[in-house]
Amino acid sequence: MPDAPRLSSLAHGGGCGCKLDPAILRQLLAAQPAAGPFERLLVGNETSDDAAVWELDDGTCVIATTDFFTPMVDDPVDFGRIAATNAISDVYAMGGRPILALAILGMPLGKIEPAVVARILQGGAEICAEAGIPVAGGHSIDAPEPIYGLAVIGTCRREAVRRNADALAGDAVILTKALGVGVYSAAIKREALDEAGYRDFVATTTLLNRIGPELAAEPAVHALTDVTGFGILGHGLELARGAGLTLVLDADALPLLPRAAALVQDGFVTGASHRNWSAFGAEVDLPADLPDWRRHLMTDPQTSGGLLVTCAADRADAILDRIRQGGYPAAARIGRMEVGPARIRVGG
């Protein structure tokens, strides 16, 4: 196929930046019936959580999730690896361990060679192998844009389940990966990210959040979620709403990818970042002197972002050290949960 188009040029958005506008998503979910009075459904659609959790007879829980998106990179193997890492993260964010995956594939026939599609699947399989799980099947369709992701099944014990709604007043808040993935994605789409920046991008988006079940085994860890398309403010707000508390974020403490600040100040801001702020900015209190570029990074959509962790304050330093030693050197303590309205207050 001569003059094959760049993968990212075939999609209107990329990665978790192509998620629905959060305001529209809330309207859609509000119109849906509750999951129903199923005693064994421990986590359903009531908390905007990362995955569903169903308890079996012996106290073992099944975790089920699905995640897929359009490409934010042009290398098909990297696209597959990033999409798979992102999908598996939902299981880790619930405190579980993945056991198998099913591939979700949509490709525009006639625009992409089968060999390119095979490399996307190869990348996904590589990450699944790293996570220790098989790709046990899947489904594919002819689609107008390239789409790839996984449905993932995991397990955990009932006592290990960690929702995004269970933070406690006084909890410290930790983020395990640096922010700025959406900004880097915008630069990639415009071919403005250098090789070193691209390596940083791929390294963070293909880093499995496998620390999740280890954190869930710690009684001092109360809530877990992963930071994806709604940015640190959007997913932090889900923590605040679920717990009925105020999340106080320290803007200066937020970890950033090396070139994120410079890129966003050069205008590499995604449309999803603007949509995010329009959707929930009214629930966020910002300092009057906070520069716009910092706000853009807080609404920046993260693809395969880090875990957002709340834990007892007196255990926070030890837990943070454990996370860093576990392979997440960018992890940082970024705030705290306080008694107050379900909002975010940003300081710094």
Side-chain angles (χ1 to χ4, degrees):
M1 185 181 296
D3 301 320
R6 296 170 59 206
L7 267 181
S8 60
S9 73
L10 296 171
H12 71 287
C16 288
C18 64
K19 292 178 77 167
L20 281 180
D21 181 313
I24 294 175
L25 181 60
R26 289 189 75 189
Q27 292 176 24
L28 293 173
L29 292 177
Q32 300 303 307
F38 294 97
E39 181 180 340
R40 293 173 184 253
L41 183 64
L42 303 186
V43 183
N45 57 14
E46 68 284 347
T47 57
S48 301
D49 230 311
D50 298 295
V53 181
W54 183 274
E55 185 179 14
L56 301 176
D57 290 335
D58 62 352
T60 298
C61 295
V62 174
I63 303 170
T65 185
T66 182
D67 214 316
F68 53 89
F69 47 60
T70 53
M72 75 305 295
V73 294
D74 297 315
D75 183 284
V77 174
D78 286 345
F79 173 39
R81 293 174 67 221
I82 293 166
T85 307
N86 180 75
I88 296 169
S89 178
D90 287 341
V91 171
Y92 292 136
M94 299 305 301
R97 300 182 187 279
I99 58 173
L100 66 85
L102 304 173
I104 299 167
L105 180 69
M107 288 292 142
L109 298 179
K111 294 182 180 179
I112 299 180
E113 290 183 336
V116 173
V117 180
R119 294 187 68 210
I120 294 171
L121 297 173
Q122 172 194 334
E126 287 176 2
I127 288 296
C128 287
E130 186 178 334
I133 64 173
V135 180
H139 186 66
S140 60
I141 62 169
D142 182 8
E145 294 184 326
I147 296 168
Y148 176 67
L150 301 173
V152 187
I153 303 298
T155 63
C156 70
R157 299 293 299 173
R158 179 177 180 134
E159 60 271 17
V161 174
R162 291 295 184 275
R163 305 189 308 163
N164 66 1
D166 295 330
L168 301 179
D171 275 359
V173 180
I174 294 169
L175 178 63
T176 64
K177 289 188 188 181
L179 302 172
V181 170
V183 171
Y184 275 52
S185 296
I188 290 169
K189 199 168 184 71
R190 287 156 59 180
E191 300 184 87
L193 189 66
D194 62 20
E195 185 177 341
Y198 184 78
R199 286 197 300 268
D200 288 340
F201 174 87
V202 172
T204 190
T205 54
T206 59
L207 176 61
L208 287 163
N209 283 323
R210 61 169 82 239
I211 193 72
E214 185 177 336
L215 294 172
E218 167 64 69
V221 170
H222 302 135
L224 281 175
T225 192
D226 60 355
V227 179
T228 55
F230 301 150
I232 188 68
L233 288 186
H235 294 286
L237 192 56
E238 289 175 346
L239 287 180
R241 288 172 181 156
L245 298 170
T246 296
L247 168 57
V248 181
L249 286 179
D250 181 352
D252 293 332
L254 294 173
L256 303 177
L257 291 171
R259 295 196 58 201
L263 285 169
V264 76
Q265 290 177 83
D266 285 340
F268 292 97
V269 179
T270 68
S273 178
H274 293 298
R275 291 196 302 272
N276 286 342
W277 181 251
S278 295
F280 49 69
E283 298 171 86
V284 179
D285 300 316
L286 299 177
D289 60 349
L290 188 79
D292 281 346
W293 69 266
R294 280 193 174 274
R295 176 175 65 80
H296 288 314
L297 283 169
M298 288 189 283
T299 54
D300 187 53
Q302 303 305 288
T303 298
S304 191
L307 296 178
L308 198 53
V309 185
T310 84
C311 63
D314 61 356
R315 290 283 299 147
D317 289 343
I319 289 170
L320 177 57
D321 182 65
R322 188 163 156 192
I323 293 169
R324 288 173 174 167
Q325 293 295 323
Y328 307 85
R333 185 170 176 172
I334 63 168
R336 63 188 182 278
M337 306 300 297
E338 290 187 350
V339 173
R343 300 179 60 82
I344 292 180
R345 185 171 78 250
V346 178

